[in-house]
Amino acid sequence: MQWITILKKELLEDWRNFKWIWVPLVFIIICIMDPLSTYYLPQILESVGGMPEGAVIEAPKMGPPEAIMLSLQEVSMLGLLVIVAISMAVIAGERKSGVAELVLVKPVSYFTYISAKWAAKLLLVFIAYLIGMLISWYYVNLLFGDLSVAQFTGLFLFYFIWLIFVVSLTIFYNTVVKIPGLVLTLTIVTIMAMSAINQIFSYRMPWFPNSISEHISGMLAEGTIPNELWGASAVTLGLSILLMVASNFILKTKEMAD
Amino acid sequence: MMLAPLIFIQFLLIVVAIIALLKTEQTNGPKAMWAVIIIFIGFIGPVLFFILGRRQY
């Protein structure tokens, strides 16, 4: 099947670019950095020295949910940047170099082309995020206390919906412009604007995509999945689908290379 | 010490980046510069190299 062929080509390319090695490694670092350094803060400060005599450093007391949310916060900053950076050229780069023309001159539909690339990037992001969060979960269990399987699975899957949206948004901008750096800028600016809107209107729009992580910490605190989380997830997924359909139409109307 | 895995992973990332640097024929800018960036700028260095250093497009 064509779709599988393009997916395989994409996965092979990512493998040859070392993406399948470095992206998971970077996600492991991003995910475990904060919980570890929070836990070891007293020891780290002590070994650095320069503290006044008799100063007692208390490690911030944290429950397992707060500790794993630290990982999620890092994923939402550095992780997001990495995700956008690895997918900023999936279509834009190929349009610039003319590879897209070579593929699309064959009877390959635009949707096959876009969605196969989308799936390939999402698979890479999923695996990297899964490995990073699993290791973070291991450390949280070890250092801060038990976090149940149900809590972890809920947090992991609901936040992945937000990551799906980020990948879809990047793909969308890939079809709008063909300079990878511009794709990165536009995506990050859009996400920042959305988060500003979310902060201003959060009480009126509890279902806004950016509020997913807020609702997740609510879920961890209360032990039940709040309705707002379902709502926000549905809206986020819907927007992702809309973005994919829109990219299909936009790519059709654009000329391929200069 | 529990921080050992973190240091090990950073080291692994640097090794992979150096291998990639040696295997890449053309980089954006001199290879020596990228070697310095990869080795000395924490884990951000290798990431910068993987994203910007390799001329793929």
Side-chain angles (χ1 to χ4, degrees):
Chain A
M1 229 177 89
Q2 278 176 343
W3 196 84
I4 300 287
T5 315
I6 296 182
L7 181 74
K8 273 188 188 157
K9 173 244 169 211
E10 207 60 27
L11 293 178
L12 183 66
E13 192 179 330
D14 284 349
W15 172 248
R16 292 202 177 134
N17 282 336
F18 298 92
K19 283 200 181 99
W20 276 100
I21 304 172
W22 74 262
V23 179
L25 285 178
V26 168
F27 264 82
I28 295 173
I29 295 176
I30 289 172
C31 288
I32 67 176
M33 198 167 55
D34 268 17
L36 272 183
S37 59
T38 310
Y39 186 80
Y40 285 109
L41 196 64
Q43 280 100 313
I44 292 169
L45 286 180
E46 210 169 287
S47 64
V48 171
M51 296 299 289
E53 196 69 30
V56 180
I57 311 137
E58 286 275 332
K61 283 275 173 285
M62 255 190 198
E66 285 86 13
I68 198 118
M69 284 309 283
L70 286 178
S71 299
L72 220 55
Q73 266 166 29
E74 282 302 319
V75 171
S76 72
M77 313 260 291
L78 289 172
L80 210 72
L81 212 58
V82 169
I83 291 171
V84 178
I86 59 171
S87 34
M88 67 181 177
V90 275
I91 296 171
E94 290 200 346
R95 279 165 72 198
K96 217 174 155 195
S97 65
V99 176
E101 251 182 333
L102 289 177
V103 175
L104 289 169
V105 82
K106 300 193 169 64
V108 174
S109 78
Y110 286 90
F111 192 71
T112 309
Y113 179 72
I114 296 172
S115 60
K117 279 169 172 296
W118 175 80
K121 278 294 165 299
L122 218 50
L123 188 64
L124 174 60
V125 168
F126 180 80
I127 300 286
Y129 169 62
L130 177 68
I131 295 174
M133 287 308 281
L134 278 178
I135 295 180
S136 165
W137 185 33
Y138 168 77
Y139 275 114
V140 167
N141 272 330
L142 215 61
L143 302 175
F144 294 92
D146 277 341
L147 189 76
S148 71
V149 180
Q151 279 175 313
F152 176 78
T153 316
L155 164 138
F156 177 81
L157 289 180
F158 276 116
Y159 199 72
F160 186 65
I161 294 176
W162 167 244
L163 297 183
I164 292 176
F165 173 76
V166 172
V167 173
S168 310
L169 187 68
T170 320
I171 298 273
F172 171 75
Y173 278 125
N174 259 294
T175 61
V176 176
V177 289
K178 53 181 151 191
I179 304 159
L182 202 56
V183 174
L184 179 110
T185 317
L186 284 172
T187 313
I188 297 294
V189 166
T190 308
I191 290 172
M192 275 166 36
M194 281 174 64
S195 115
I197 294 173
N198 181 47
Q199 273 170 9
I200 298 168
F201 298 108
S202 59
Y203 60 97
R204 270 193 215 158
M205 309 188 295
W207 36 261
F208 205 64
N210 291 58
S211 61
I212 283 187
S213 66
E214 258 166 63
H215 297 321
I216 287 175
S217 62
M219 175 189 80
L220 291 182
E222 289 161 22
T224 50
I225 300 174
N227 281 335
E228 289 88 5
L229 186 52
W230 287 116
S233 307
V235 168
T236 312
L237 273 180
L239 277 177
S240 309
I241 294 169
L242 224 63
L243 281 171
M244 293 304 290
V245 174
S247 12
N248 186 27
F249 282 111
I250 291 174
L251 195 62
K252 264 183 197 167
T253 60
K254 295 266 167 162
E255 80 279 25
M256 279 297 129
D258 298 309
Chain B
M1 185 66 178
M2 298 287 296
L3 287 176
L6 189 62
I7 295 162
F8 174 72
I9 290 165
Q10 294 212 11
F11 177 73
L12 206 63
L13 197 61
I14 290 175
V15 171
V16 175
I18 293 290
I19 293 172
L21 180 69
L22 293 177
K23 282 178 88 174
T24 310
E25 281 172 19
Q26 269 199 320
T27 50
N28 282 330
K31 281 195 175 188
M33 174 190 84
W34 281 114
V36 171
I37 291 175
I38 290 169
I39 295 169
F40 292 106
I41 318 184
F43 80 95
I44 306 284
V47 174
L48 281 178
F49 168 70
F50 279 119
I51 293 171
L52 303 172
R54 294 148 46 76
R55 195 170 289 173
Q56 318 159 20
Y57 315 116

